[in-house]
Structures are given as structure tokens and as C-alpha cells.
Amino acid sequence: MKALRLHRELDRIWRNDPGWKGMFTNVNHTDLGKRFILASFVFFAIGGILAMLIRAQLATPGSAFVGPEIYNQLFTMHGSIMMFLFAIPLIEGVAIYLLPKILGARDLAYPRLTALGWWCYLFGGTILIVAMLAGYAPDAGWFLYPPLSGKEYTPGINSDVWLLGITFVEISAMCAAIEIIVTILKFRAAGMRLDRMPIMAWYLLVTAGMMVFAFPPLILGSILLEVERAFGWPIYAPATGGSPLLWQHLFWLFGHPEVYIIFLPAAGAISTILPVMARTRLLGYGMIVAAIFALAFLSFGLWVHHMFTTGIPKMALGFFSAASTLVAVPTAVQIFAWLGTLWIGHPERRLPMLYIVGFFVVFVIGGLTGVMLAVVPFDAQAHDTAFVTAHLHYVLVGGFVFPMLAATYYWLPHVSGRGRIMHLGEAAFWLIFIGFNMTFLLMHVVGLLGMPRRIDTYPADIGWTAYNLLSSVGSFVLAFGFGLFLIDVILQLWLRRDNVRNPWRAGTLEWAMPTPSPSYNFASLPTVESREPLHDRPELPLELVRGEGLLARTRDGRRETLAVDSVTGAPAYVAVLPGNSALPLYIALVLAGFFLCMLFGLYPVAPLFLIVVAVLGWRWCWSLGERRDVGPVDAGNGLELPVGGETRESTGWLGSILAIAASATFFISLLFGWAFLWTVAPDWPPPRIIAPLALQPALMAFGAIAAVAGLRMALRDLHRGARPQRGIWLAIVGQSITIAMLGWALTALPPPTSHAYAATTACIGIYALFHAGLSVAMAAFAHRRIAKGYVSPARDSDLRVAVLWNDYAAGAAAAAMLAIALPGWLA
């Protein structure tokens, strides 16, 4: 009876709001993960339909099925949807749904941030699809190379749809990346050291870390191109000091790591599912973790792999060619570990295993063709041919789609609580496998015969007709396979056949809860002593249901879960999570208004939406925290822990470090672009540069130092029992001086429309001004929170987070002022 009462109380605290309201205020990770997964498969279906239209056009020479303008929109939208609206969001959805369950937690670190990411993804994707249906789809390729995507060659809003819609979607990706990292580092079961984490958690941790550093260059490149199109700042225009190659560098700084961002979570699914299917433990756990980190590190040194034919110096070609070949080594380590696991185990012929076998075949072929393209002489011949298209699909479909189909069948009983009745999955697999290879294996051949990619027609006498016709037939076989897969999944969700709790006899924690999972995941939280606790303690699920774990009680209606030491897994504090809220929806709607204003040229109105976002962000942060010191609370089993707001390593502090890392990557990419144009672009040095500055840098340095000293003094005074307000005011005044001096220095620049030098320098200054203004807002927020009793020596996270951002803003301002003044000093 006590256990039943505990379940009822937890459900009352964690469940969604009733009725339609719950659809808009839901912050539960299980529901939001399902939404991401469902929406990503909807976008996958749309992208697949576009692919079938592409293959219908290419089936015969001289086809008039669609014209060249529509064809350009088709292949641009197909690539954009598959990359940005299917693959990455599906990864986010799987991580959001699974992570707390496999780690033994009740939710993610930032539930409202997850909800914000969902709404940004939905609205951004909707902008792209509605634009396509209205005839304004992007048509310059999913990579949007300038000058083709510039105003001169794409005068309509087609390119703006891509730039603004994709940037909107990338907000979701950045939210998910920070969410995933903090959750894995802090929200684990007691005793779950890093070396006891499920292998899937390692894959997702590294993937999220890559997202933090890979996505900012793309966001920067998109903003710069939109600024050029909207305001005429010539950042990519060679005639006025810009360079289209800068876009390629920024895009592929994101684009090549993205291949591994897509692959690694799928490889994590393989490493999770394959040992279960083989009835053994994963071979080489430590080596696989090392290979994951090696793959992530190497992936950031490969972006020039996509630019071998752009005139890169020969020494750089050799370096990047060697790095592109070397990346095969950590991939091979994982493949041999999987093969070794199969060798020592007893594989069972079950449906997830069938898709894993398909993965091995398709992905290895894609990997081998990747090594071929890493060789510069071969790449020079095959570049921009159908061979590259085929290679890309073998890597992404083989390395991502096949494993995710296996993952779907593996975790579908967890989602639905039901088993399979209509066994259509096997037939679906063979249609997908045969159709895929029929489509893209032949595309390798026609590419070697010289067929370029991204063409809408070809002559009949060139020898490509038979290959294209068979490829098109194969694409429809592939589509039928996916249709059968969809029917099989729907039948499993619809037809009633109750499943046992752990149908695969797996050892990880997600199978220790009832299925479908309750809103709170675990009635009490587990303590683990190994990587597969269910194998070592088969009675663990029953113990948790009976409330014999940690936090087997409720406290004042708060949503609580355990936070641990990042390395040892020792219990650190009780994290209190926010409840249901419509604020994420409101912020996403206002952001959508901003992006739509930019899309339709309503530039004077757009900043008003950003002001509303700031107000809502203030309201969001104000709703968090306590107005009194709570002290240690009972965590169960004789353990007393502090609450999250009264610890130094709070989730807000850790998330701020990651957000600053992403912002710093954005800034470094901007400085790289500025230096790249100085070094490489034509028409440099510019005809007019800034006059030498002296007063502005000196006063700005004074203001930045005062700001840094002020907030640190405030934090020191808070812990000494003195009034911290004077230090906060010093910081506000210091940052205000910084803002004034940066603004004054920017007025000395030539007009940003005159030359890329002025445009990029102005962008650097605007970045620093934004962060200085943000620091002022955070200092004012901390001042207000102190006055209202939300901050004390024990509850100092608001002030410590403000110190982080204040220090970074001061450093960014110093770097920006140096970039502004340096040309004048050297002239």
C-alpha cells in the first residue's frame, strides 16, 4: 500500500497538465522525445517523396517530368530535410527519450529547454515545408554555396527561407547538445562511475560535445550570408573584398563533423543492441570509448576534404588527405569490436539483428568509397559526380538509417509495452536492403562514367540511361520497403498484445521500469555497481517499484531527481526540476515572429521580437530557485544531501560553461573569417581602413577590468556577509563603459556596405556589444534576485553564473576592440 501511494503521489507531481493545455505546457522528456522521433519520421517521409520525384526525373534522358527550377528545389529540399529535419532531430529525440531511463534518472537536466528545442524544431521545419508548398523552396543546393545563393543569382526569398529556417532549427540542436551533456555528467544513478556508464551514454556525450563546437560555424555562416542578402554587407562578394570560399570553410567546419554526429549515436545503438542479440557482453568497451573520442577529434580536421578542387595549397592537400584516411582507424576499431562480440557470443536471428547485418554490409562499402575519395587524385576525378552522391548515401543510410531501424524494433516494446503480431519487418528489411543497393550501387558506376550530380537531365547517347532507369526502379522498391516498415510499426502500436517488461533480457536500466514508462520513470532511484545492473541484480526492478531505492518519497510537490559527482557517480545533491510551463512555447512563437520578419523584410519590426524574448527569458529564470535556505534533505537509505541551488556545481553553472563554449566557437569562427579574408580574398588591403585609435581602447580596457572586478567583489562580499550590490553596480557601470567605447570605435569604420573589411569588423563589434549588454542584464537580474531573497551565501548560483558571462563578455570585448583597432595601428 505504501508503494502504491508513492506511485500515485509521483504521478500527480510529474504528469502533464490535463486536456489541450497539456499539449502546450508539457516538459516531460518521454513525451517530448516521442514528439521529436515522430516529427523526424514525418520529415523523413517528405524527404523520401522528394527523392522519388528526383529519381522519376532522372529515370529517362531528356525527361520533362519536372522543369529545372522545380528540380533545383527538389534536390535542395531533399538534402536539407534529411540532414537538418530528419537525422539530427531523430538523434535528439532518441537521446531525450532514452537518456534518463538508461542513466537511472527521472528527467533531463533542463526540461523547459527541451520543450523550447521542440517548438523551435517544429516551427523552423514548418517554415521550410510551407515555403516549399508555396513555391518558394530553397533552390541553391542544401549547402547553399554563394555566389549562387546570393542576391544577384537568387533574388527571391528562396535562400532566405533556408538561412532563417535552418538557423531556427539549429537553436533546437544547441539546446539538445547542452541538455545531453549536463544530463550525462550529473543525472546518473548512484554509483554509476564514468566507466560504468552504458555505452550509449558515451556515444551521446561525445556527439553532444561535437554539436557544441560544430554547429556555431554553420550558424555564423548563415547569419553572415543573411546579413549580406538583407543589408548588402559584402562578406562573400569578391568584388568588394569578400570570398565565397569563406562560406565553404564555415559550412564544412560544420558539415564534416556532422557526418560523425549522425553516425555516432547510430553506432551507439549498435553497441547497445548487438551484445543483447549475441547474448554476451560488449567486447572492448574501453577501446570503443577511446575510438569514439578519436573519431570526434579527427572529424574536426577533415573539413577541407570537401574542398580538394578549390585550389588548396599542396601541403594542405596532403595533410587533409592523410587525416581523411586516418579517420578510418577508429571506425575500424568499433567494427572489429562488434565482430568480436558476435564471435564470442551466440547471435540470435531476431529482427534488430537483421538490420545490424544490413548495416555492416552497406556501411563498410560506404567507408571504403570514403577512403577512395580521401585520395586527392581520385577525388579530383570523382568530385561533383554521382559517385560522391552514392558514397554519401552509403555512409548515411548504412551508418544511420539501418541502425536506427534496428533501434526502432529494439526499443518499440519499451515505448508501447506491446509485442509484435504481424511480422512484416523481415519483408520490409529485404525490400529496403535490395532497393537501396539497387539504387546507389549503380550510382557509383554511372558516376565513374562521368555523370555529374545535381543535373536535371542528360542526353540519350551518353551511356547513362540503363543505370539511371534501374536506379530509379530501385528507389521505388526502397520506398515500398519503408512503407511496409511503417505499417509494421503502426500495427505493433495499435494491435493489443501485452509484452513482458524486458523482452530482450537486456541488462541496462531502461528495462527496469514498467512499459510504457510512467511520467516519473522510477518510483525510487537505483544504485548500481556494474554496467549491466539487471544482469547482476535481477531483482532490482522489483526493489525500485517497492520504493527501496533513493528518493522514495515526495517533498512539497517538487520534481526531484538525483545528481551525482561527474566522475565517481557518488550522490552529490538533490536536483529540483521545473514543472509544466507554456514559456517555451511563448519564446518559440516570438522567435518565429522574429525570423518571419527577417524573411519578409520587416527589419525595423524584428528587434521588437527580440526584446520580448528577453522579457520572457527574464520571467523564465525568475521562476527558478528558492527564497530560503533549505539545507540537507533526506534522500533515502540514510543519505542526506543538499538541494541543487545550494551547491557550487549546479546545473545552471555547468550549462553556462557549455553555452559560453559554443558562443566562443562562434566568435573564433568569426575571427577566423576576418583573418581569412585579410589573407586570401581579393581587393585587400581595403581602400580605406579605420584611423588609429587610442582613447577608445584605453577606456574600454578600464571598463572591462572594472566589470570583472566588480562582480567578483560582489560574490566575495556575499560570502563575507557584506552587501554585494556595490560590486554589481561597479560591474554594470564597467560594462556600460565597454559598450560605449565599442560603439564609438565602430562609428570610425567605413560603411559596412563598402567593403568586406568593414562588414566583418562591424560583425565582430556587434558580437561583443551583444555579450556586454547580456552581461549588464545578468548583473541587473542578480541584483534584483538578491533584493527579493533568492540569493544567499548558500544559494549563490545566480551570481556565479553572472560572473562567468561577465568575464567572457569582457574578454570578447577586448578581442573585438583589438580586431577593430589593429589595422589602424599597423597602417
Side-chain angles (χ1 to χ4, degrees), residues 79 150 158 203 220 281 290 307 358 381 425 440 525 645 736 744 783 804:
N158 304 64
Y203 276 100
L220 168 66
R281 295 181 186 267
M307 302 172 62
Q381 300 300 314
F440 293 103
L525 301 183
S736 299
W744 187 9
H783 184 279
L804 276 178

Side-chain angles (χ1 to χ4, degrees), residues 121 267 322 324 341 345 362 412 513 515 557 787:
Y121 165 51
S324 300
T341 302
V362 175
L412 196 57
M513 63 181 65
T515 57

Side-chain angles (χ1 to χ4, degrees), residues 373-696:
L373 289 169
V375 180
V376 176
F378 181 85
D379 182 83
Q381 300 300 314
H383 187 76
D384 267 345
T385 68
F387 186 93
V388 177
T389 304
H391 157 71
L392 177 68
H393 284 80
Y394 263 86
V395 170
L396 293 182
V397 176
F400 180 72
V401 175
F402 274 92
M404 297 316 291
L405 295 178
T408 299
Y409 281 112
Y410 179 75
W411 278 297
L412 196 57
H414 192 285
V415 175
S416 65
R418 300 175 181 178
R420 295 173 65 215
I421 295 179
M422 304 291 291
H423 289 255
L424 303 177
E426 290 78 4
F429 165 78
W430 287 111
L431 287 173
I432 293 170
F433 184 78
I434 293 171
F436 173 82
N437 284 284
M438 187 175 176
T439 302
F440 293 103
L441 195 60
L442 295 173
M443 203 176 288
H444 285 101
V445 179
V446 76
L448 292 176
L449 292 175
M451 180 176 174
R453 54 179 174 170
R454 303 190 289 272
I455 59 171
D456 67 297
T457 188
Y458 52 92
D461 58 353
I462 204 167
W464 301 340
T465 304
Y467 296 106
N468 276 297
L469 179 60
L470 289 173
S471 286
S472 296
V473 171
S475 71
F476 280 83
V477 173
L478 177 63
F480 286 130
F482 281 118
L484 199 58
F485 163 80
L486 176 63
I487 293 171
D488 193 35
V489 170
I490 292 174
L491 288 175
Q492 182 169 341
L493 294 172
W494 183 37
L495 296 179
R496 185 76 189 178
R497 179 188 167 191
D498 291 338
N499 206 24
V500 295
R501 174 176 290 186
N502 187 359
W504 310 109
R505 305 192 304 280
T508 44
L509 285 175
E510 75 269 28
W511 301 105
M513 63 181 65
T515 57
S517 61
S519 57
Y520 48 86
N521 287 343
F522 301 95
S524 58
L525 301 183
T527 299
V528 302
E529 298 173 352
S530 68
R531 294 183 200 129
E532 298 182 344
L534 299 193
H535 286 164
D536 299 328
R537 294 171 57 196
E539 70 282 357
L540 180 61
L542 186 58
E543 293 176 359
L544 299 180
V545 168
R546 291 198 302 244
E548 297 175 9
L550 298 176
L551 294 182
R553 52 103 185 103
T554 59
R555 183 174 65 90
D556 301 329
R558 287 172 168 80
R559 298 187 176 190
E560 295 181 334
T561 191
L562 183 70
V564 300
D565 181 84
S566 299
V567 177
T568 66
Y573 60 86
V574 175
V576 181
L577 303 179
N580 299 322
S581 172
L583 278 172
L585 172 61
Y586 296 154
I587 292 178
L589 283 171
V590 177
L591 284 172
F594 167 78
F595 283 109
L596 290 174
C597 285
M598 293 297 297
L599 181 62
F600 294 113
L602 303 174
Y603 304 129
V605 181
L608 299 178
F609 286 90
L610 295 183
I611 294 173
V612 177
V613 168
V615 172
L616 291 174
W618 182 291
R619 178 70 185 87
W620 178 319
C621 297
W622 192 266
S623 65
L624 305 174
E626 301 275 356
R627 300 184 69 171
R628 61 179 179 85
D629 292 345
V630 176
V633 297
D634 178 24
N637 296 339
L639 186 65
E640 288 195 345
L641 297 173
V643 295
E646 300 178 9
T647 59
R648 292 191 58 80
E649 198 175 323
S650 66
T651 54
W653 183 82
L654 187 55
S656 291
I657 290 178
L658 295 171
I660 289 172
S663 184
T665 305
F666 182 98
F667 189 41
I668 291 170
S669 300
L670 180 56
L671 294 174
F672 161 78
W674 177 78
F676 174 82
L677 294 179
W678 269 99
T679 308
V680 172
D683 195 29
W684 288 72
R688 179 186 164 199
I689 60 174
I690 195 169
L693 302 177
L695 183 60
Q696 297 95 325

